[in-house]
Amino acid sequence: MTAPPPSTLPPSNVEYGGDEISALVLDPGYSTTRAGFAGEDVPKSVVPSYYGTIPSGTSSSDRKYLFGDNSIHTPLPSISIGNPMSKDGTVEDWDTATNLWEYAITSRLTSAKPGNPLTNGLNDASNDLSVEMEGVEEQEKPLEENPLLMTETGWNAGKNREKGIEIAMENWGCPAYWLARSGVLAAFSAGKPTALVIDIGASNISVTPVHDGLMLKKGVIRSPLAGNFISSQLRLLFSTTQPSINLTPHYLIASKTAVDAGSPSQATYRTFPPSTAPSQSFRYLQEERVLTEFKESVVQVWPGPGRLAGHTQQGGTNEDVAKAQPGRSFEMPDGWNQMFGVERYRAVEGVFDAKMALSDAANPPPSQSQTLPNMIQSSLSQVDVDIRPHLLANVVVTGGSSLLLQFNERLNHELMALYPAPKVKVTAPGNTAERRFASWIGGSILASLGTFHQMWISKKEYEEHGAGIVEKRCK
């Protein structure tokens, strides 16, 4: 009996991630790494992309790696903090990134790789056991049953794309793999095949035009004026205020006494012996947590119309209008507290207007071309004239830093000023999870579609064609 032609054979569920097996979606970013099962609403595992290291042996180069919220925010002796991602949102340290991603997946979603039974303390030393267990480490890999969909930035280099599939196939033993652009997935999560995706993350703002589900690469523009830039603006604001505002993280405070607004703090500070004190990088990360809290509760974007430095129709300045708004109070970890008035608008104004950005020797002023309105203009100027109105009618806002108060109102005013004729519609989910995890949610939708199963790059194809297949298949 002749075998049926290959095209009529049903695809192997294991190979193509059928309904019986849940695909995993991994969305790495500079601030957090998101992982979860396809088909779910939000990622089950959200871990910081930062990692800690502490001394683990006699040699200074022997260091133990720590992952996850609980580990990296504890002031352990001589702890230092690093990040495997570079400032442009691509991977810099592949070995650590692999371990971090594996932790994100195995800590919450799947079981971890089995350890060597000879060293787990449950078995007596026996030569028979060591013979039987030879090669088990190589055989059992953490994702042998789960296809993996991974996200990447629109400017990811070819060698990085190949490295991603190598890790999935070689280190984790994935049966199938797919690499998708985060801008395209954010558009999918908003239900739009054509969109202008504005992603404001921790290290980068990116503007990505997407047309019929494909990223228009020449129109992808990015700039560093994102969440970390706003944090550095706040540091400059605190240091230049008279009197200057001290930024003391929580772990250095032993106790504090309530004081009146503007009065000096009355706190007892914790001290650490110099030989085992947490490093400066640990302190910097803890200060960032305080700044994040400040951004969430105080910082506000001037909503428009016009810029903060501009004038109102009545002849006054927008700054005077901002000063008339009620202030917002904030208490630092050491108990010092104050009402913040117009200052709370200044920290973000540099994202829209380079002239308003604070600067010093360590933080040079940004160029006007790095501001969000200019990025949108240069992105749209790179795409076909006919599709520009479609993109402006489908502007999708995503990224954790886009949750700043009144950000969308300001973006809408800026777009209307730039493009008065075409219809401009800004889509930004009110649900914070949908805004923060848009790329992951788009990946979750895509990987759970029945029609997507034929798209996966299977292990067999990887073995036949090598890592270069990802460049050919994942456009």
Short mmCIF file of all heavy atoms in Angstrom, two decimals, residues 9 118 163 301 332 356 379:
data_model
loop_
_atom_site.label_atom_id
_atom_site.label_comp_id
_atom_site.label_asym_id
_atom_site.label_seq_id
_atom_site.Cartn_x
_atom_site.Cartn_y
_atom_site.Cartn_z
N LEU A 9 -0.86 14.38 5.29
CA LEU A 9 -0.65 13.86 6.65
C LEU A 9 -0.97 14.94 7.67
O LEU A 9 -0.57 16.10 7.50
CB LEU A 9 0.81 13.42 6.83
CG LEU A 9 1.23 12.13 6.11
CD1 LEU A 9 2.74 11.97 6.19
CD2 LEU A 9 0.54 10.93 6.72
N LEU A 118 23.05 11.95 42.16
CA LEU A 118 24.20 11.64 43.02
C LEU A 118 24.49 12.78 43.99
O LEU A 118 25.09 12.57 45.03
CB LEU A 118 25.46 11.42 42.15
CG LEU A 118 25.46 10.16 41.28
CD1 LEU A 118 26.71 10.10 40.44
CD2 LEU A 118 25.37 8.91 42.15
N LYS A 163 20.94 33.27 17.52
CA LYS A 163 21.32 32.82 18.88
C LYS A 163 20.08 32.40 19.66
O LYS A 163 20.10 31.43 20.41
CB LYS A 163 22.05 33.95 19.59
CG LYS A 163 22.62 33.59 20.94
CD LYS A 163 23.86 32.74 20.82
CE LYS A 163 24.40 32.38 22.20
NZ LYS A 163 25.36 31.30 22.17
N VAL A 301 2.05 64.23 32.92
CA VAL A 301 2.40 64.83 31.64
C VAL A 301 1.50 66.05 31.42
O VAL A 301 0.29 65.98 31.68
CB VAL A 301 2.18 63.80 30.49
CG1 VAL A 301 2.60 64.40 29.15
CG2 VAL A 301 2.94 62.51 30.76
N MET A 332 9.12 60.39 51.06
CA MET A 332 10.31 59.59 50.79
C MET A 332 10.45 58.50 51.86
O MET A 332 9.88 58.62 52.95
CB MET A 332 11.56 60.48 50.80
CG MET A 332 11.65 61.38 49.59
SD MET A 332 12.00 60.41 48.11
CE MET A 332 12.12 61.70 46.88
N MET A 356 13.16 71.59 27.04
CA MET A 356 12.73 71.58 28.44
C MET A 356 13.43 70.50 29.27
O MET A 356 13.19 70.39 30.47
CB MET A 356 11.21 71.36 28.51
CG MET A 356 10.39 72.53 28.04
SD MET A 356 10.55 73.97 29.12
CE MET A 356 9.51 73.46 30.50
N SER A 379 9.21 58.53 11.26
CA SER A 379 8.74 57.18 10.96
C SER A 379 7.74 57.21 9.80
O SER A 379 7.85 56.44 8.85
CB SER A 379 8.09 56.56 12.20
OG SER A 379 7.51 55.31 11.89
#
